């Protein structure tokens, strides 16, 4: 042991060679985690835009349906009005042929009812026409808004696709650099590290600070601490299973 060669050398000698290399790998893994985060973020943005477009599409469809229903209602009431007009004509024709006061009065009552009916239908039809006009305006606005949202979505999808492809290329490059580093590390240790990394996301190897694992922040026993600090064994945190190392400067 090179105890006499000063603190730094001693510590470097103590840090397990594989762990030293894995720390370089971990730096790359942190970059990958960051890049994957960027991918997720831009995918989320695109999804949000897509949801907006869906909502707006539904809105346009609802308005169109409402217009259709109003048009059907208008058609129905138009027919009723025509019938009423025809009926009124017939009644007025009938008045020419009545002979008694009683008949006349009866027809007159019918005519009054028919006229009231007509007035009501006309009023309703006017209101329906007004609603149709209003809805048509709304649907035009909604369509314009949907149109621009769709364009925005298409542009965003294109740029997002391009960005994601670029990020994936960068990740591939980093993976290649990782593989080069892996050449010098024991396969079993690589496997263990990769397994840890599945959930630690770039924090598989952590320093011990103030007697605690810097991954799960649980205190480790003095015995484990001594093993980490004074031997070059690979030590795992008894609580979370991360690989522990003693940093050059504990306050770092
Ligand atoms: Zn831990």
């Amino acid at each position: 042991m090179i105890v006499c060669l000063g603190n730094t050398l001693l510590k470097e000698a103590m840090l397990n060679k594989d762990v030293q290399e894995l720390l370089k790998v971990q730096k790359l893994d942190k970059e990958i985690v960051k890049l994957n985060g960027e991918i997720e973020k831009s995918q989320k943005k695109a999804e949000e835009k897509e949801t907006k477009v869906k909502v707006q599409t539904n809105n346009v469809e609802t308005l169109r349906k409402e217009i259709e229903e109003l048009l059907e209602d208008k058609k129905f009431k138009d027919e009723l009005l025509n019938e009423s007009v025809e009926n009124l004509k017939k009644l007025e024709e009938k008045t020419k042929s009545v002979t008694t006061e009683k008949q006349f009065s009866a027809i007159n009552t019918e005519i009054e009812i028919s006229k009231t009916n007509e007035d009501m239908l006309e009023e309703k039809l006017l209101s329906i026409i007004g609603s149709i006009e209003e809805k048509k305006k709304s649907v035009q606005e909604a369509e314009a808004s949907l149109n621009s949202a769709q364009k925005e979505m298409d542009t965003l999808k294109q740029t997002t696709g391009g960005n994601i492809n670029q990020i994936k290329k960068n990740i591939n490059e980093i993976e290649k650099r990782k593989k080069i580093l892996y050449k010098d590390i024991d396969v079993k240790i690589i496997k263990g590290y990769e397994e840890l990394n599945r959930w630690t996301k770039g924090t598989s190897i952590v320093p011990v600070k103030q007697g605690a694992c810097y991954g799960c922040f649980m205190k480790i026993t003095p015995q484990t601490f001594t093993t980490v600090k004074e031997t070059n064994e690979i030590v795992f945190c008894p609580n979370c299973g991360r690989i522990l190392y003693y940093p050059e400067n504990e306050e770092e």
Side-chain angles (χ1 to χ4, degrees), residues 6 10 13 43 68 73 85 129-130 148 177 179 188 230 238:
L10 173 67
Q43 274 172 340
E68 258 174 50
D73 195 19
V85 169
I129 289 165
S148 62
R177 280 157 63 197
K179 273 188 189 137
K188 265 190 202 163
E230 287 172 15

Side-chain angles (χ1 to χ4, degrees), residues 206 213-218 220 237-242 244:
V206 290
C213 160
Y214 217 62
C216 67
F217 303 101
M218 293 289 283
I220 55 170
C237 168
N239 183 56
C240 69
R242 286 181 173 92
L244 301 172

